[in-house]
Amino acid sequence: MSQELPPQAQNQMSQLQQLQQQAQSLAVQKNQVESSQKATETALEELKNLPEDATVYRTVGNLQIKTTRDDAIEKLEEQKENLSLRLQSINRQEERISKRFKQLQEQLQQSMGKQQGGKAQ
């Protein structure tokens, strides 16, 4: 059964492999965003439990900057929103990749069925 695949089927197989790689990459990104989101939510909870006049520092690059509790909360809320938007974008990309993957699988199965059906006659 070492028959060679027709060019169309080879192309479809290649596209399927690329989609698998993209899906794996998105899964890693999604995991990172979800982890950052959880850390941000935990930090927000802790900040909200502090008194308003508490001394708070936030990291900016390699520096620790003194700031107000309210300013730190505001920055974390913005970060949380950005992470949420990024997660929505990743979810949409995953859906598109999944749909395209299923389409290609069906096309490949049809191509393989035609090839096998043509050889059997």
Side-chain angles (χ1 to χ4, degrees), residues 36-50 56-59 67-84:
S36 293
Q37 201 172 35
K38 287 177 187 170
T40 300
E41 288 170 359
T42 300
L44 270 169
E45 288 174 22
E46 291 298 321
L47 274 174
K48 289 177 180 178
N49 290 332
L50 293 176
V56 177
Y57 294 87
R58 65 183 178 92
T59 303
T67 186
T68 65
R69 185 196 86 146
D70 290 341
D71 186 48
I73 288 173
E74 183 180 327
K75 297 280 189 214
L76 285 175
E77 291 285 359
E78 288 175 20
Q79 182 178 347
K80 182 180 170 185
E81 179 64 25
N82 288 337
L83 290 168
S84 178

Side-chain angles (χ1 to χ4, degrees), residues 91-105:
N91 287 333
R92 285 191 301 269
Q93 287 176 302
E94 281 181 328
E95 287 176 29
R96 282 194 297 267
I97 286 174
S98 178
K99 285 179 185 177
R100 181 66 180 138
F101 189 85
K102 288 175 186 174
Q103 287 174 342
L104 277 170
Q105 272 185 321

